Amino acid sequence: MKYMWWTVQVLCILISLFFLVFGVDLIRGAYGLNDPFSFIMTFFAASFIILISLTLALVFMIKMIRVFRHLRPSQAYEERS
């Protein structure tokens, strides 16, 4: 059961990275639009998608690092005794 948490965190990071790639592709596609209103709306929507996906990926990575640092000293203590 303890490995399930790590699996969920990695899955969430992968989903966040997928949406990051989707946002970058969307922002590149916005530059091909001819209508200024559609360009502005697509550009800001893509920027918002990129912002949220980067933030979520960062949060999941920080959470994993904090748990790893918390577990590592206790495992080192168990190996000594």
Side-chain angles (χ1 to χ4, degrees):
M1 188 63 150
K2 63 182 176 180
Y3 297 112
M4 185 67 169
W5 184 85
W6 292 97
T7 307
V8 169
Q9 297 302 313
V10 170
L11 183 66
C12 289
I13 288 174
L14 291 176
I15 291 170
S16 297
L17 293 178
F18 167 76
F19 279 104
L20 174 68
V21 171
F22 175 71
V24 170
D25 187 49
L26 191 61
I27 208 166
R28 288 180 68 211
Y31 285 102
L33 297 173
N34 294 328
D35 182 28
F37 180 74
S38 296
F39 168 76
I40 293 293
M41 296 303 289
T42 307
F43 182 83
F44 283 117
S47 298
F48 194 59
I49 291 171
I50 292 170
L51 176 71
I52 290 174
S53 62
L54 278 177
T55 303
L56 286 175
L58 184 67
V59 166
F60 294 131
M61 283 189 244
I62 289 173
K63 197 185 304 185
M64 289 175 67
I65 290 169
R66 289 181 70 190
V67 168
F68 181 73
R69 285 184 180 172
H70 180 71
L71 290 177
R72 201 170 70 196
S74 64
Q75 289 175 353
Y77 179 74
E78 289 174 2
E79 290 176 0
R80 288 182 185 173
S81 57

